Amino acid sequence: MAPSTPKVDAVVEKAKAAAAPEMSAASLYGRFALAGAICCSVTHGALTPVDVVKTRIQLDPVTYNNGMIGGFKKVVQNEGAGALLTGVGPTFAGYFLQGAFKFGGYEFFKQQSINLLGLETATNNRTAVYLASSAAAEFFADIALCPLEATRIRLVSQPTYASGLISGFGKMLKNEGIGAFYAGFGPILFKQIPYTMSKFVVYEKVAEAVYSVYPKKDMSDSAQTAVNLGSGLIAGFAAAIVSQPADTMLSKINKTPGAPGESTTSRLVKIAKELGLKGSYTGIGARLFMVGTLTAFQFAIYGDVKKALGATSGVELAK
């Protein structure tokens, strides 16, 4: 191998600089989006059984009144173990799309904040940047997610409705029109935007606290994965508590079609009155377990997939 010289080093650095813009634009954000799609679809898909039980508890608390473990046993006894995978198709597809927009969008909007405010101002106001970037990313992610989430809830709440994603989606579209897919758009925004804001800001703050004591550059890849898992777990608990009432309302409004002439707003008001504060937290135990687990693994998988794809130059604002 030829020895390194100042001239050679200068050429190498120039080549790196020339290549950087390509990775910092569409290619880089595409990799962020793919990493986000993979981490969200894999984790949500794997936790479909927990989601099935959580949704049943929310929709029929009289029958499913023995907590998460009791709910699992009851579903298996009444419908067989296969019922625990009800809605796995729309879950995987919906969260593949949502994860791409959520994680890719979050990185994109953080960079736009830096472009608008400047790096120093954005760093000094990074909590606000985290909140605004995650909210904007989640808004677009929910547009993609909502139709598939509506289909999933219909399949889970009415096991005989259809055999899977394609048939359930087609049946809803034919019988109720495209509006049925967005009947829960309001609740999904009220659920997902606070959820995502809490998720990202708590994750960033916990990870920042850890890295202030144990510098990231000195950590092994496995240690960084462990930090992502721990930070994600805490972020998931916070996100679950903040978004639980809207999650319950989303399950309720997608369970059955509305009455003729009944607006989505009037349905939401009616559901909120029926639930009350206590009712809106029905199934919180199952959801804490589900959201904490999936968020922890999402950030761990996201970090590892980004490295595998060579997308290691994410936007970091921590001091």
Side-chain angles (χ1 to χ4, degrees), residues 73-157:
K73 292 179 179 177
K74 195 159 288 186
V75 170
V76 173
Q77 286 174 355
N78 295 343
E79 304 169 46
L84 292 172
L85 292 177
T86 303
V88 67
T91 297
F92 189 91
Y95 283 97
F96 187 91
L97 291 174
Q98 192 232 25
F101 282 99
K102 176 186 289 190
F103 282 86
Y106 179 63
E107 301 281 6
F108 173 79
F109 286 116
K110 278 200 295 183
Q111 184 60 58
Q112 299 315 302
S113 297
I114 292 173
N115 294 344
L116 179 66
L117 301 172
L119 180 59
E120 184 177 357
T121 302
T123 300
N124 292 336
N125 297 277
R126 58 191 177 280
T127 299
V129 170
Y130 298 150
L131 291 171
S133 300
S134 57
E138 187 59 46
F139 177 82
F140 292 103
D142 289 344
I143 294 173
L145 173 66
C146 200
L148 292 157
E149 181 70 355
T151 305
R152 180 196 71 80
I153 291 174
R154 187 66 60 87
L155 292 173
V156 172
S157 62

